[in-house]
Amino acid sequence: MALTDVLEYKSKIRRTLITQEQISEKLKEYGELISEEYSGKPLLLVSILKGAFIFLGDISRNITIPHEIAFMAAQSYFEGTSSSGTVNITLDIAQDISEYNLLIVEDIIDTGRTLKVIFERLKERHPLSIKVITLLDKPERRVVKFEPDYTLFTIPDHFVIGYGLDCGEYYRNLPYIAEYQE
Ligand code: IMP
Ligand code: MG
């Protein structure tokens, strides 16, 4: 159901967990790191929609070497705010990826299920290399073994919103990351 009550909307934003300034600093640091690591190599950033759309835009603008972008979408099924386990790829990359170094750009790794499926699927298509950068990691929640190559922030087990991350499709536009008031 559409949420139109601004007071109700605001009351669910419990507290700021990561500020815009903290995000900007990390973006700069990781933008430089990636620019060095992939210098002289064909780089394709693969963003997982919808949650990673803002992170993709910002990390891309902090990378100073030539690179391309592509999008994938996956649907994990949720029971409330915890993943129930099924992952469907609803949007795939059409282009040949065998000539590229892939860097998967993800918003958050929670149980690890979504990324594990996407990672294996892309690996089958033999890219030159494949790595993962995630904005957030909640290692306490892991159900399947999955380690990202780059993590901007490790956070405790609490549902978060903002900077692309949603609750019921809302709050993606918050410029910072906040804890959601259940
Ligand atoms: P997975 O459990 O690692 O497969 O994560 C699946 C997806 O759940 C992530 O890509 C997010 O879109 C979403 N998700 C997990 N934790 C949170 C959260 O704290 N806030 C918003 N979305 C989340
Ligand atoms: Mg996601």
Side-chain angles (χ1 to χ4, degrees), residues 48-52 106-108:
I48 315 299
L49 295 173
K50 299 174 190 172
E106 178 61 307
D107 55 350
I108 187 165

Side-chain angles (χ1 to χ4, degrees), residues 10-132:
K10 286 188 174 162
S11 73
K12 302 283 187 185
I13 306 168
R14 190 168 171 226
R15 68 176 190 100
T16 303
L17 189 66
I18 305 168
T19 65
Q20 270 181 279
E21 290 73 24
Q22 287 173 306
I23 298 170
S24 300
E25 264 177 46
K26 286 279 183 189
L27 285 167
K28 199 163 170 285
E29 181 188 331
Y30 281 86
E32 280 170 15
L33 195 75
I34 291 162
S35 304
E36 273 171 34
E37 163 136 10
Y38 291 95
S39 179
K41 298 175 182 168
L43 173 61
L44 179 64
L45 302 183
V46 179
S47 171
I48 315 299
L49 295 173
K50 299 174 190 172
F53 83 111
I54 290 179
F55 182 37
L56 185 268
D58 280 350
I59 196 71
S60 172
R61 286 182 292 179
N62 278 273
I63 297 173
T64 53
I65 58 166
H67 62 279
E68 296 176 41
I69 61 166
F71 296 96
M72 284 182 84
Q75 245 165 22
S76 329
Y77 292 95
F78 296 96
E79 281 160 6
T81 52
S82 81
S83 180
S84 70
T86 323
V87 179
N88 275 350
I89 292 180
T90 53
L91 175 71
D92 207 345
I93 305 174
Q95 74 192 91
D96 180 6
I97 58 172
S98 64
E99 307 276 300
Y100 289 94
N101 294 279
L102 260 51
L103 183 59
I104 302 175
V105 178
E106 178 61 307
D107 55 350
I108 187 165
I109 307 180
D110 187 39
T111 64
R113 287 185 179 114
T114 310
L115 220 49
K116 180 128 186 132
V117 169
I118 288 176
F119 190 91
E120 295 304 328
R121 197 71 71 83
L122 288 172
K123 219 168 125 189
E124 285 165 13
R125 290 157 68 176
H126 307 294
L128 296 174
S129 70
I130 178 165
K131 284 194 178 185
V132 173

